[in-house]
Each structure stands twice: as C-alpha cells, then as structure tokens.
Amino acid sequence: MSDPQKIIQELRERINYHNYRYYVLDDPEISDQDYDRIFRELENLEKKYPHLITPDSPTQRVGAPPLESFKTVTHNLPMLSLGNAFTEEEIIEFDRRLKRFLKDETDITYVAEPKLDGLAVELVYVDGIFYVGSTRGDGMTGEDVTQNLKTIKSIPLKLITKKIKKIPPRFEIRGEVYIGIKSFHELNRHQDEKDEPRFANPRNAAAGSLRQLDSSITAKRPLDIFCYGVGLVRGYSFNSQEELLKTLPHWGFKVNPHLQVCKNINDVMKYYHHIEKIREELDYEIDGIVIKVNEFALQERLGTISRSPRWALAYKFPPRQATTKVIDIRLQVGRTGAITPVAVMEPVSIAGVTVSRATLHNQDEIDKKDIRIGDTVLIQRAGDVIPEVVSVVKEKRPEKTVPFKIPSSCPVCGSKVVREEDEAVYRCLNLSCPAQLKKTIKHFASKRAMDIDGLGDKLVDKFVDEGIIGNVTDLYSLKANDLVPLERMGEKLALNIINAIEGSKERDLDRFLYALGIRHVGEHLAMILAEHYPNLEDLMDAQEDDLIQVNEIGPEVARSIVRFFSQRGNRDLIQRLKNMGIKLSAKRKKNGGTLQGKTIVFTGTLTQFTRSEAEKLAESLGAQISSSVSKKTDLVVVGSDPGSKYEKAKNLGISIIAEDAFKKIVES
Ligand code: IVH
C-alpha cells in the first residue's frame, strides 16, 4: 500500500482507537512507546503531505494559534438547569408529582447518575466529525471553545463506527468537563513550581483551563469529560436515557460508570445512599446525584417549567460542614516564600474524615471573617480540598480575644516579610530561608538557569536533607569527598557534579539573574536587565524610577527587583557568590544564534511581542526576516487571525509555529 492518503487514514484510525482504549476505557492495548511510534509516523507523513491534514486528525488536537476572543454559539436546544432537592421527602414528592401529572400510578423507571461538579459543554458532530464545541453560557448561548475541547483526549475527534456503523448526520452531545482530584493536586504542585497562583478547587481549575484563549495552555491541563445527554439529534433516535448512555461509549464517548437504572423511587433512594458512601473513593468531585425519567417519550410529555425539565432533579448531598474551636493560628511558609495562616482546630469529623486544620488563606480573609484564636467556627470541606472556615460563631466567642495579625517577620528564618501592593499574600523574600531552600537551589541549578548538569531535583533534596548544603553558596565550596559517602554516589559521579558546579561559574549574567528567582523576572526580562545593567552592582543599586525607564520593565517588576536587592540576606549571598568566583558581569555574544541563516516570516497578530520586537529578536539570533512566504522560507511564526501567508506556508509544507513556540526559541 503506497497511497499516502490511505496510509494516513489507517494510521489515524489506529491512533483514534488506541486513544479511546487509553483515555475512555482506561484499558490500553499497546505500550506508550508503540503509541508514540505510530503517532510520530503520522506526524511525519503529514509533514510530508501537508495538504492531507484534516481538522479531525489526532495531530490537530494542539497547535491552533491563540484567539483574540471567543465567538459565541447559540445552542439549538437550550441547555437547561436542574431543580434541587436535599431531603428524602422532596424526592418522594417529586415522584408523586410526576405520577399526578401523568395521571398514572405505575412506577416510573429512572436513570440515576452522579452529579458531577465541573462545567457543562455541548459538542456538535457533523457526519461523525467533531465540528464545534461550546460552554453552557446562559443556557441559550455559550462560548465557542472548540480548540480547547479538541485538546481533551477523551473527546473523540471522529466517532468510532466499529460496533455501531450508523451514526447521526448531526449529533449534539452534552457532558461535564472536569479535572480529577489527583490531577488537580498535581496541577497545583506545578503551579507552585512555576510560582503561579494555586487553583482553589478542581471546578475552578477546569473552568479556567477551558476558557483559555491559547489552546496550547489548555492542552497542558488535565481536563476530562463525562457525557450524559444530548441536544439536537438528526437521523437517529433513542428511546431512553438508558439506551443513549449505553450507545455513547461505542461511538467513543466517556460515560460515568456509576449510572444506574432504577425501577422506582425507592431504588433511587438506595442509589443515593450507595453513591454517598463511595463518594470519597471517587477521583472526581460530585455534589449529589441526578435523577432522570428514563423513557424519552415520557420526558417529552412532562416537558419543562421555566428553565428546568420537569422530568429530572438533582438530589444534593448535605454540605460537608461542622463546627469546632480554633486552638491556634500557625504560619506556614511555602516553597515560594508565601506565608499562609493555618487554623489548628479541635479535631472534628466531617462526612467521615477527621479534620483538625483549615487554611485561612491570607490576612484579608482573616480580617473579613474576623477569625481569632479561641473562636468557634463553622468549617466546610469541598471534596478532597483542604477545609476552610466559612464563618465565626460570634455568640460563642470567649472574652479577651484579639484580632489576629500576621507578624512582620518570617516564622522560619526571621527575616522581614513583605506584602506586594496588589497581592493578598505576605512573602518571605530570603533566598536562604530553610522553607524555600530546596526550591531555590533546584531553580538555581536548572538547565535554563545556571545549568549545573547532574544536579537534579532528587540530588538537591538529598543534599539539603543530609545537611550537606544550607544555601546556594555552599554548592561552590563542595568537594568530591563530601559527596562520595552519599548513597548511590560513586567517585566518578561526584567528580562530574563538582566539575559541573565549577563550570557554572562562567554563565552569562542573564542566566545568573534568572537563577536568582526574583519574582516576575523570567528568562526574557533577565536578558533585558543584563543588557541594560552589564554590571550586577548597578542593578543592585537601581531604584524603581531607574528601572521603569528600561523597555518592558513595568512598575510591578521594578518594585519586585528593588525589594529583592534590599534584602540584606540576598545581598550577602550575592557577595559570597562573587567571592567564590562567579562571574557577575555581561558581554553577550550576539552571533551564531539558534536561528542563524534561517529565513523567517511572521503573520497574524502577536500578543506577547510587537511585530518589530519579534523581528529584532529573531535577527539577534541570526535570522533573516522576510515579508512573504516562498519555498525559501524556513519558518513561519503565526499569531492570531493569520492571513494568506499561513495558508501558503501550509500548502508549501513549511514549518509553522505559534507565538509561544517562538518565544521559547527566543528564550532558550
Ligand atoms: S443533565 C436538563 N446530568 O448540572 C438536564 N447534568 O444543574 C441537565 N450536571 O448544567 C443536565 N452532572 O453542568 C446532567 N449527570 C448529569 C450531571 C449534570 C452534572 C450539571 C450540568 C448542568 C447542571 C444542572
């Protein structure tokens, strides 16, 4: 078989199938390596025959240029909301109401499903191909988040027709996009590492991720979906919710495994208690169950009232709350220096889990709720997330309590803590603060900073845990003999590490600046600063007014830099590093850059650079800029709304990258 179109088609089908085994059924048939191999094969062929790329190809899940804003989508059938019930009586009344309405006392069959705590979306398939996807919005119109939904691997880009060959020519399917609890914690760990704010809960994380204008960011978020309903369906009919939910997986959709058909309302009740029991074991958050009349014909007879169907109801779990007493308020210093007040409380059980600590977030939260040591408080647990204080029971406040204020020095190292003007958190800025030490050193040694080869995260943990280093400077006085006694450390490895540390003394100033981990100073700004202040001492003495004169440095960054260098501990550290022989001045070589000899064309609107900045940067790396695409073009960088140059580049099979990828090249 040598017809590339046929081979490409076959590869896509294999990938779609294995994707489905992995992401929907959670039951892969082949190894990750084999999957990667097939995927690369497809990528290579598509690169060779770009005219054969179609939007439903598995390679097209990522890579669309960022958008300026979302378009709106009007739902063909409104996306309704659900009435709520909290008690058994309300559920029994619901069932009676329906029987009265139907003028029939026969038991109604229901389908009961977990009520997922994410956000509702609609996916439209035309002739089996994923065409457009949108958020619920106000129920009538939502936002077009097609590109973002395409990055979710459990959403089929093309329906699978292995088992059920017939597919509806138009199929609107609805479901809940969510982030699992484990993935949520992992995501927050990544946020910490990048010094970016944590997400409050999985729902917020999912909503924020789905509403990114740049789908390459969404692609990095662990979004998932459960499908549970339909909108408009043409050319196919289902008789019941049960039939629908049993058909969906055959076409490649993920359906929640805990759904149940209930013969009567009594079975629904049993189901509710069952789900309440297993709730803690689920890896995603639910806040109750949804009850739906099974027969579609009956649903139709029942119809809707205002914005909710008469045939469905959410039966919510009671809120996971309890009252207890605050014994103490302690301060935790995070790895980024952020200081978080935590309430230590008399242990109390909430829905089977004993709780004795709750985050108080920050001073503003404490002030707003006026939480004091000795107070009795109402606390609440949302899913697996750390509990929080909802309110203070003021009547129970003992006499002589005082408002709580976060002290002005770090509880771990004693240095002064600061609060950025536009931030709620207090931070300890001392690089050598033991609470931040590991993170500081890992960042310092990392590839894009001082690039100390071999000194990875695990080794840093070990060095700090074993007391071999107590700050960044200690690295430079290490001898191979200090390392050899460590587990799994031979002489050769120890020597290599010492040599790598020694070699890092020669890094350029911009890398050193980046390595210091000054808040808001990433690689790009470090480069600009190093160019402007080739002598570190000048930068250390610069005032905010001087700094904001520098292109791209705004007041927030300027403030952060001045704050950093005003810390006595940080100045001492830099002095010691200098004494150790680290080069602290710059002369950047401009030539022989990564883009040497390449011809680059820019098209579309860039968001992170102006066009002329981008061109200058590319030139500084050795590239030649051209205004039109031809066979001689090596690379096309696309922003949003790219024009005909983008089409032409695709047709000619020229490498195309988004602005983010360009930024990465520039920064590397
Ligand atoms: S059915 C009319 N099924 O709950 C039917 N909704 O309050 C409404 N939800 O916007 C949708 N799990 O975001 C349905 N198994 C489930 C659900 C579910 C969560 C959400 C959905 C909807 C909201 C309605």
Side-chain angles (χ1 to χ4, degrees):
M1 186 167 65
S2 61
D3 177 358
Q5 180 146 23
K6 262 198 192 144
I7 305 175
I8 284 180
Q9 200 44 44
E10 200 218 75
L11 286 171
R12 283 180 192 158
E13 246 143 59
R14 276 168 70 195
I15 291 169
N16 284 343
Y17 174 73
H18 291 299
N19 219 22
Y20 167 71
R21 299 283 323 185
Y22 188 93
Y23 290 102
V24 178
L25 302 184
D26 196 12
D27 182 20
E29 270 178 8
I30 58 171
S31 69
D32 290 1
Q33 288 93 318
D34 282 345
Y35 177 86
D36 291 344
R37 196 178 40 73
I38 310 176
F39 199 91
R40 269 198 305 275
E41 211 174 306
L42 175 63
E43 274 181 332
N44 288 339
L45 273 176
E46 286 186 348
K47 217 178 258 164
K48 204 159 153 198
Y49 304 102
H51 63 285
L52 295 179
I53 300 179
T54 56
D56 64 312
S57 170
T59 59
Q60 302 304 297
R61 286 195 185 265
V62 264
L67 306 169
E68 297 268 290
S69 62
F70 293 117
K71 295 198 187 99
T72 54
V73 173
T74 302
H75 307 297
N76 274 320
L77 298 178
M79 292 181 78
L80 302 171
S81 54
L82 289 169
N84 284 328
F86 292 91
T87 63
E88 210 165 301
E89 290 75 56
E90 286 173 287
I91 294 300
I92 291 168
E93 176 47 31
F94 166 73
D95 182 58
R96 277 205 204 110
R97 194 163 62 231
L98 298 197
K99 285 175 179 160
R100 274 200 304 274
F101 188 95
L102 295 168
K103 299 199 172 65
D104 187 351
E105 280 303 304
T106 328
D107 272 343
I108 300 172
T109 304
Y110 295 99
V111 168
E113 309 163 16
K115 185 169 192 306
L116 309 151
D117 200 9
L119 59 154
V121 296
E122 178 170 78
L123 316 170
V124 181
Y125 289 78
V126 176
D127 292 327
I129 307 285
F130 179 42
Y131 173 64
V132 68
S134 55
T135 58
R136 175 176 182 272
D138 62 3
M140 309 305 272
T141 46
E143 285 174 323
D144 180 341
V145 287
T146 312
Q147 279 312 329
N148 294 343
L149 288 166
K150 273 186 163 186
T151 68
I152 303 177
K153 303 279 196 358
S154 45
I155 292 181
L157 299 182
K158 188 177 177 198
L159 299 192
I160 294 174
T161 48
K162 234 179 179 170
K163 187 104 181 248
I164 304 180
K165 301 249 164 353
K166 187 180 162 201
I167 49 165
R170 185 178 179 96
F171 188 45
E172 299 177 356
I173 178 164
R174 293 168 180 186
E176 196 86 349
V177 167
Y178 70 95
I179 286 183
I181 294 170
K182 263 202 230 102
S183 306
F184 166 72
H185 290 302
E186 210 168 294
L187 178 61
N188 266 346
R189 270 198 296 280
H190 282 305
Q191 292 295 104
D192 286 350
E193 274 162 20
K194 288 186 293 176
D195 217 354
E196 277 168 24
R198 285 173 154 243
F199 296 102
N201 54 52
R203 212 199 94 82
N204 281 3
S209 302
L210 194 62
R211 297 197 63 256
Q212 287 287 339
L213 290 167
D214 181 350
S215 60
S216 71
I217 298 178
T218 311
K220 291 186 201 131
R221 304 279 172 80
L223 291 170
D224 209 332
I225 192 169
F226 280 125
C227 297
Y228 50 60
V230 284
L232 183 72
V233 180
R234 282 216 187 96
Y236 201 103
S237 73
F238 303 94
N239 291 317
S240 65
Q241 176 74 1
E242 181 186 6
E243 188 193 335
L244 170 72
L245 295 181
K246 292 203 165 137
T247 306
L248 290 178
H250 293 299
W251 282 332
F253 296 105
K254 192 163 159 182
V255 170
N256 189 281
H258 295 286
L259 70 101
Q260 192 169 304
V261 180
C262 302
K263 293 191 310 301
N264 52 43
I265 205 67
N266 213 10
D267 280 4
V268 170
M269 223 65 84
K270 283 190 204 141
Y271 175 82
Y272 174 82
H273 293 299
H274 164 68
I275 294 293
E276 202 179 19
K277 232 185 241 142
I278 64 164
R279 179 183 188 186
E280 299 296 330
E281 294 156 28
L282 302 177
D283 183 43
Y284 42 86
E285 290 200 353
I286 60 172
D287 55 359
I289 63 167
V290 182
I291 314 166
K292 300 172 186 171
V293 169
N294 186 31
E295 301 285 330
F296 283 165
L298 277 191
Q299 286 188 4
E300 210 148 294
R301 272 177 65 197
L302 288 160
T304 56
I305 9 164
S306 65
R307 292 262 175 131
S308 324
R310 200 180 266 115
W311 46 266
L313 192 66
Y315 186 5
K316 296 282 205 66
F317 295 135
R320 299 198 270 198
Q321 293 182 331
T323 53
T324 181
K325 207 166 154 185
V326 178
I327 309 168
D328 194 7
I329 296 177
R330 294 201 190 140
L331 300 174
Q332 259 175 14
V333 188
R335 288 179 305 157
T336 61
I339 294 179
T340 313
V342 175
V344 181
M345 306 167 304
E346 281 175 0
V348 59
S349 164
I350 312 181
V353 173
T354 306
V355 168
S356 61
R357 284 169 170 257
T359 172
L360 301 179
H361 299 291
N362 52 53
Q363 185 72 54
D364 289 351
E365 278 287 306
I366 296 179
D367 292 346
K368 203 167 72 195
K369 295 176 182 159
D370 188 16
I371 303 163
R372 305 180 182 190
I373 297 173
D375 270 340
T376 297
V377 288
L378 177 67
I379 57 171
Q380 154 171 303
R381 200 163 65 87
D384 200 16
V385 188
I386 312 160
E388 53 184 11
V389 173
V390 181
S391 60
V392 171
V393 187
K394 289 270 165 67
E395 308 81 68
K396 292 202 177 164
R397 173 170 286 170
E399 277 172 35
K400 290 198 192 130
T401 58
V402 284
F404 181 83
K405 289 280 169 247
I406 292 181
S408 57
S409 56
C410 169
V412 176
C413 73
S415 30
K416 202 165 153 268
V417 300
V418 296
R419 179 181 182 167
E420 312 258 330
E421 237 163 56
D422 47 355
E423 276 199 335
V425 292
Y426 286 73
R427 277 174 199 278
C428 164
L429 295 185
N430 175 17
L431 275 189
S432 305
C433 173
Q436 304 171 59
L437 189 59
K438 284 182 182 172
K439 181 182 183 273
T440 307
I441 299 176
K442 285 173 190 173
H443 174 71
F444 187 85
S446 65
K447 187 136 202 71
R448 306 163 84 125
M450 298 301 267
D451 191 15
I452 305 182
D453 203 21
L455 185 56
D457 289 1
K458 284 211 182 97
L459 214 51
V460 172
D461 287 341
K462 216 187 243 176
F463 282 7
V464 174
D465 292 341
E466 306 255 333
I468 292 177
I469 48 178
N471 64 44
V472 173
T473 27
D474 289 349
L475 282 174
Y476 292 93
S477 42
L478 282 179
K479 304 268 174 303
N481 281 345
D482 301 330
L483 309 186
V484 175
L486 291 177
E487 212 180 307
R488 266 186 262 142
M489 173 75 68
E491 230 164 81
K492 183 144 182 265
L493 183 56
L495 259 177
N496 284 346
I497 291 170
I498 298 294
N499 285 339
I501 294 174
E502 192 58 30
S504 72
K505 288 181 176 171
E506 293 298 315
R507 299 283 175 260
D508 287 332
L509 179 61
D510 59 314
R511 276 174 171 262
F512 179 74
L513 279 175
Y514 172 62
L516 288 176
I518 306 168
R519 246 176 100 65
H520 305 307
V521 178
E523 288 165 279
H524 179 64
L525 288 188
M527 207 131 82
I528 291 178
L529 287 169
E531 243 167 59
H532 209 86
Y533 295 95
N535 242 322
L536 182 61
E537 265 128 29
D538 296 335
L539 175 64
M540 288 169 74
D541 293 333
Q543 299 303 307
E544 282 179 36
D545 288 349
D546 308 328
L547 285 160
I548 52 174
Q549 303 300 322
V550 181
N551 200 11
E552 288 197 52
I553 307 285
E556 196 184 358
V557 182
R559 208 174 311 127
S560 164
I561 295 170
V562 171
R563 281 234 173 97
F564 181 88
F565 289 118
S566 70
Q567 293 277 312
R568 183 70 190 276
N570 293 343
R571 292 186 88 92
D572 288 352
L573 184 105
I574 291 168
Q575 184 57 45
R576 272 182 282 147
L577 287 170
K578 192 176 171 191
N579 296 346
M580 297 280 183
I582 294 197
K583 205 178 72 179
L584 298 182
S585 55
K587 259 290 143 283
R588 279 189 68 76
K589 15 179 195 349
K590 285 223 159 159
N591 231 337
T594 25
L595 298 175
Q596 192 62 44
K598 299 248 187 289
T599 303
I600 298 192
V601 175
F602 288 88
T603 175
T605 316
L606 303 181
T607 55
Q608 306 177 60
F609 310 93
T610 64
R611 180 66 76 84
S612 86
E613 271 166 3
E615 291 180 354
K616 277 202 194 106
L617 279 166
E619 276 171 345
S620 75
L621 293 170
Q624 259 189 324
I625 309 300
S626 165
S627 58
S628 62
V629 174
S630 72
K631 270 194 258 163
K632 288 194 195 135
T633 310
D634 294 297
L635 186 66
V636 174
V637 180
V638 286
S640 54
D641 291 328
S644 59
K645 289 185 217 173
Y646 174 55
E647 291 306 324
K648 191 162 177 198
K650 273 204 289 194
N651 290 336
L652 290 173
I654 289 162
S655 300
I656 299 172
I657 59 170
E659 185 181 359
D660 260 1
F662 172 70
K663 189 164 167 239
K664 281 196 191 121
I665 294 177
V666 170
E667 287 173 348
S668 69

